[in-house]
Amino acid sequence: MLNVLNLIGAPDSSHATVVWNNGNPRDLKVIFEGTNTLAMLMKPEKMAVTTATFGGRRPQQITLPPADVVVNSVCDPDTNTNALLQIGETLKHCSAPVINPPELTFATTRDRIYTLLKDTPGLMMPKTVRITPHRLSEVPELISENGLDYPYIFRSAGEHGGGGMVLVEREADLPKLERFAFDGRDFYAIAFYDFRDADGLYRKYRLVVIDGKLYPRHLIASTSWNIHAESRKELMEKDETLQNAEKAFHEHPPAFLKDYAERIYEKLPLDFFGIDCHITPQNELFIFELNTCMRVIADKPTGYHIPPTERIKSAFSDLLAAKAR
């Protein structure tokens, strides 16, 4: 039995989402923004998992219990800076091997990933800049100063998923940004490219890289560029041809993806990370985002999603065992 220490962290906002509360504090279940559910990848029959929580408004000095391997599940440096800094300091006194150390996790903000990978052969990285406008009227000037032009995607730093993005195609679209609070927080502006395939559909691939090796997670086709989990209901759930394409991607991903994963791993040797991307007609990898926050395990995977899920879980378990040795 492998003793695994799983590190999670409260976000800098000190907010949490309560998902279960029966009145007993021992049974309380919460979700912390900026922390991945990597514990779901660990096989309970092989691993005894202990959880330690970092961050918060008044962080406590934590003495880590003995462990064979430590997993850092805190994944977002935009929202969980304090927790990652605290984990980094605490791990200086830990002799156990660490999965996804904080110093590498800090390199996964959208602007840093762009800077790190933009000149990598085979990778297409949309220019990404971080800006801090204090009012809507400042946005156009900041966009121009940073070398961006229309169209671009505007989103709050630290937000994931498709709900918090706005496509700004022209100056007349700027009122769309009134939904955001310009109160000193950071935003990302990301160059937009129309990545529709020849059949008029947009496709988003999710790849998982564990110990430098590639594992396909999903392929979702949509009529919209803004593809997220709910997009599956639009076409994928009723189109057998699209489902067969996803199955083929699971079983026989393009061989060049392995090479791209290795190139990225050489520059950013995280033990676990995910990539949301599109494969262009020129076999380039058009990367939307790359980080350790990707959810790769559904609560109850069904049908043809079970085999790739099990492969990912097995690869992660093998990684932990190898690190412990």
Side-chain angles (χ1 to χ4, degrees):
M1 184 68 72
L2 200 64
N3 290 314
V4 180
L5 180 59
N6 183 42
L7 309 184
I8 64 176
D12 299 339
S13 66
S14 295
H15 292 167
T17 300
V18 178
V19 295
W20 178 255
N21 182 9
N22 63 0
N24 185 342
R26 293 182 177 275
D27 295 334
L28 183 68
K29 294 182 180 179
V30 299
I31 294 176
F32 288 135
E33 176 187 16
T35 294
N36 203 346
T37 53
L38 294 182
M40 294 179 66
L41 294 170
M42 305 176 197
K43 295 187 175 181
E45 68 275 13
K46 295 183 178 180
M47 300 174 187
V49 181
T50 302
T51 299
T53 305
F54 290 79
R57 292 181 179 174
R58 294 186 297 275
Q60 303 295 313
Q61 182 65 41
I62 295 177
T63 301
L64 298 179
D68 299 313
V69 62
V70 177
V71 176
N72 171 36
S73 291
V74 181
C75 60
D76 194 336
D78 282 326
T79 58
N80 296 58
T81 300
N82 292 335
L84 285 170
L85 289 173
Q86 188 184 5
I87 289 171
E89 285 298 313
T90 303
L91 289 178
K92 290 179 181 179
H93 310 288
C94 176
S95 60
V98 179
I99 303 297
N100 286 356
E103 61 269 22
L104 292 179
T105 304
F106 272 116
T108 61
T109 60
R110 294 177 189 272
D111 54 332
R112 289 174 180 167
I113 287 294
Y114 164 72
T115 301
L116 180 69
L117 300 179
K118 64 179 180 177
D119 297 321
T120 306
L123 304 186
M124 182 179 174
M125 300 294 302
K127 184 176 178 65
T128 302
V129 299
R130 181 191 291 261
I131 61 176
T132 312
H134 291 83
R135 55 183 64 86
L136 176 57
S137 60
E138 295 178 0
V139 172
E141 183 177 356
L142 290 171
I143 293 296
S144 178
E145 287 177 354
N146 282 278
L148 269 181
D149 199 353
Y150 301 105
Y152 60 86
I153 295 169
F154 191 86
R155 67 185 306 161
S156 297
E159 282 194 5
H160 298 272
M165 296 191 294
V166 173
L167 175 59
V168 183
E169 298 185 82
R170 58 189 67 85
E171 187 176 355
D173 290 337
L174 287 173
K176 295 179 181 179
L177 304 185
E178 291 177 350
R179 63 189 288 185
F180 296 100
F182 296 103
D183 54 3
R185 70 186 67 188
D186 288 348
F187 296 90
Y188 288 118
I190 306 165
F192 176 78
Y193 297 94
D194 193 327
F195 58 96
R196 268 180 293 195
D197 286 321
D199 60 0
L201 296 181
Y202 296 91
R203 288 172 172 83
K204 185 183 80 169
Y205 299 76
R206 176 163 292 183
L207 316 174
V208 177
V209 179
I210 299 174
D211 199 21
K213 301 178 181 63
L214 178 79
Y215 299 88
R217 175 56 184 89
H218 66 228
L219 162 58
I220 301 178
S222 173
T223 59
S224 170
W225 65 270
N226 189 356
I227 304 174
H228 44 85
E230 291 299 308
S231 301
R232 188 174 290 278
K233 297 177 181 178
E234 179 198 10
L235 299 175
M236 298 293 297
E237 290 185 354
K238 53 193 175 186
D239 191 315
E240 187 174 346
T241 300
L242 295 177
Q243 292 175 8
N244 288 336
E246 186 176 28
K247 292 177 188 177
F249 171 62
H250 287 158
E251 299 300 326
H252 305 288
F256 58 82
L257 293 181
K258 175 177 178 291
D259 180 48
Y260 292 161
E262 291 174 352
R263 293 180 193 178
I264 294 170
Y265 183 69
E266 287 177 1
K267 293 193 173 187
L268 186 63
L270 284 160
D271 303 284
F272 165 94
F273 60 90
I275 306 171
D276 277 352
C277 60
H278 178 72
I279 299 174
T280 74
Q282 295 76 34
N283 289 341
E284 295 176 306
L285 209 61
F286 175 26
I287 295 180
F288 307 142
E289 62 177 303
L290 184 159
N291 53 55
T292 64
C293 287
M294 304 259 176
R295 300 291 196 267
V296 297
I297 301 296
D299 290 338
K300 294 181 180 179
T302 58
Y304 65 86
H305 291 104
I306 294 177
T309 295
E310 289 304 311
R311 284 193 285 269
I312 291 170
K313 290 175 69 174
S314 294
F316 194 74
S317 295
D318 291 345
L319 168 67
L320 298 186
K323 283 280 189 176
R325 287 196 295 270

